[in-house]
Amino acid sequence: MSDLEKLKSCKSLNDLAVVLKYKPSALAYILYKLPDSQKYEEFTIPKKSGGSRKIRAPKERLMALQKRLSEVLNNCYSEVIKNYGNPLSHGFRKDCSIVTNALLHRNRRFVFNIDLKDFFPSINFGRVRGFFIYNKHFSLEPKVATVIAQIVCYDNELPQGSPCSPVVSNLVGHLLDIKLVQLAKLHKCSYSRYADDITFSTNKKDFPEEIAYIAAGGDWEPGPKLTATINKMGFAVNERKVSMQSKTRRQVVTGLVVNKKVNVKKEYYRIARAMCHSLFNNGSFYISTMGNDTTQSGTIDSNNNCTAKQLEGILSYIYMIKGVHDSRTNVEKRNKPASIMKAYRQFLFYKHFYQAEKPVLICEGKTDHIYIRCALKQLHQHYPALIEKTTEGWSWKITFLKMSENFREVLSIAEGTSGLAALMDMYKKNIGIFKDGTGKKHPVVMLIDNDKGAKEIKSKLKKTEDGKGYKPYFTENLYVMTLPQGANGEEIEIEDLFDKDLLETKVAGKSFNKKTKTDTKTEYSKIIFAEKVIKPKQHIINFSNFMPVLNHLNGIILSYQHLKGSAPTEKETEALNVLLPTQTPQPPIYVPGV
């Protein structure tokens, strides 16, 4: 039974509570007993156009309830619109964005934009309740519709800050979308909506006056039919945000230029590059301010110091828009990145490797991180330079780099050892450009299996004097560790460090297979092994075979601290001497280049 069918079958608060996976008493307490002061937190944020916007963010208990209802309503919304073909509303929806919204209006003679006034606040309690009662797709019991409206509304409106407001606004706004797309088709126009931003576009010689016309003063205004339709559906046009853009000037839809292809404004990109240049050379930068006029250039405002997180968001946004136009192979992108990819890539190197706040550990796969974490938790007393147990939980002294899909895409590298080899190749070039002199405080350590798959990486490393191993130092602050050989000199993978009995553990009657491809009928994969076997048993597993690996990692980090003039603490030195009794009290030093 779908979530929509479940909602339609509800007759009371008790039934709705079951659908939301709540106890009826708990749901009733949140709605009717919990004081308003414990439901929402109110604050304001500045608007780009000036003034301030009131945010009402639900507190923990109500937030959890609203998130659950939001999931159910989003599933219902997907079911309602599945027969409508191309999406009409692109806001707050999976697989939709400002990009998909703008794509509909590329290369048009006219682009007309309007904004709905007080979009969320205009959807009040009565409208929400009435929608769920009378809409043909829902037709809910009045009691159930009332409870839903009580969950999603506050002070007789949809609050900005609630996880329910976006999906409820899309449900209510869908009625407006249907009416306006009919109007658009009648006059051979394209239509889309992104939250409160509405766009019509056409290649007709004259723009249809029913949608927009030139008023006596020479300004464009919404046409009578458009205005009447919007008003009839319970909304109003924000008269301050009405614009007509012809093909002879820059056309913008939801912040993106659409004259030929969807793109960001040139000045926005230019300022982002300026901020990167300032960060990479001076160690700081300032957030840019852009004028409200789409033709106005942005400037660097020395009063708005910016955070790295903000700059990453800006670069990610630009890359999302521009990156879709680059259809080259990974190798081509890696060797000759487009300008935005180059800037974003350099930023990721700066953030994760040059200005790392802790030593960084890079592993081949997701499961390697889990193994190392579990081993360190059990052996934490031996490795105070890596982990510490506090009264509040675990305090990690190292960072496990998450090789996300976006990270690999920007660096144009694959998963596994081939991707790590490519990262090694580009490391010095990308780290060497930073001139602020404040970075490389911590080492970046790459951990790889000692098997045939690591052949490419091994070929880049220098052999030890005895010819049996590899020197860990590679370049800059990058070190590469290979797992030790097996007892008989054989190649091993990290899973081979576990006892044989553990590797033979059955899960749902299936056997563990550490290879990439598994027979799902009889075998389970590495991720299942890590999540279902290692994590639950981490307190009793024998991690002794991991100690040579952790000793090596510990030694690299303490040695790097020594080279950088930060001597290890007495506790760290004592632990190191216990683990490496043949060493002198001074931690071993890996001299770069030797």
Side-chain angles (χ1 to χ4, degrees), residues 49 71 94 162 232 258 318 391 409 415 435 467 485 587:
S49 57
E71 292 172 4
K94 185 179 180 182
S162 164
K232 185 177 180 181
V258 295
I318 298 173
T391 55
E409 183 179 321
E415 291 184 277
K435 307 298 184 183
Q485 293 180 332

Side-chain angles (χ1 to χ4, degrees), residues 134-151:
Y134 300 111
N135 181 265
K136 66 178 182 179
H137 297 291
F138 286 87
S139 301
L140 302 187
E141 288 286 331
K143 290 182 180 179
V144 176
T146 300
V147 174
I148 291 176
Q150 290 171 333
I151 295 173

Side-chain angles (χ1 to χ4, degrees), residues 498-514:
F498 293 108
D499 290 342
K500 184 179 178 181
D501 291 345
L502 190 68
L503 295 172
E504 293 176 349
T505 302
K506 297 279 187 179
V507 174
K510 299 179 182 180
S511 302
F512 174 49
N513 185 347
K514 62 183 180 181

